[in-house]
Amino acid sequence: MDEPLELTCRDVADFLMAYLDRELESAQHAAFERHLGECDDCVRYLRSYEATVRVARAAYAAPAPPVPERVVHAIRAARNR
C-alpha cells in the first residue's frame, strides 16, 4: 500500500488555487485536507486567500463606470495636436 502523501506549508501555498478550483487529484486533495486539519497557519492563509479571490472576482464582475465626457474630449483633443 502506498504511503500517504505529506504536504508542507510551502506545498499548500503552491497548490492553493488548484485546491480552490477543485483541480487536485484525490490523493493530493486528501493530503491537502490532512495538512489543513493540522496547521492553523495554513487554514488562516487559505481563508485570507479565499477572501482576496472573492474581492478580486467581484471587482472584475462589476461594470466599469462610464468615462466622463470631459475626459473623452480631452483625449480627442490630445490626439489632434
Side-chain angles (χ1 to χ4, degrees):
M1 186 166 161
D2 289 335
E3 185 108 2
L5 182 63
E6 293 296 323
L7 297 181
T8 65
C9 295
R10 175 67 182 190
D11 295 329
V12 168
D14 289 346
F15 294 109
L16 199 53
M17 199 66 209
Y19 172 78
L20 292 175
D21 288 341
R22 294 171 169 59
E23 295 174 349
L24 295 178
E25 296 175 11
S26 62
Q28 292 170 322
H29 183 84
F32 206 98
E33 292 282 326
R34 232 181 356 268
H35 184 87
L36 290 176
E38 300 170 355
C39 184
D40 292 339
D41 288 339
C42 283
V43 171
R44 280 191 294 277
Y45 184 71
L46 170 65
R47 299 297 173 239
S48 173
Y49 194 88
E50 286 175 318
T52 301
V53 169
R54 259 193 318 276
V55 168
R57 286 181 178 160
Y60 285 104
V67 177
E69 268 309 301
R70 62 183 175 76
V71 173
V72 173
H73 290 296
I75 291 171
R76 287 184 181 149
R79 282 186 183 166
N80 293 330
R81 288 184 190 171

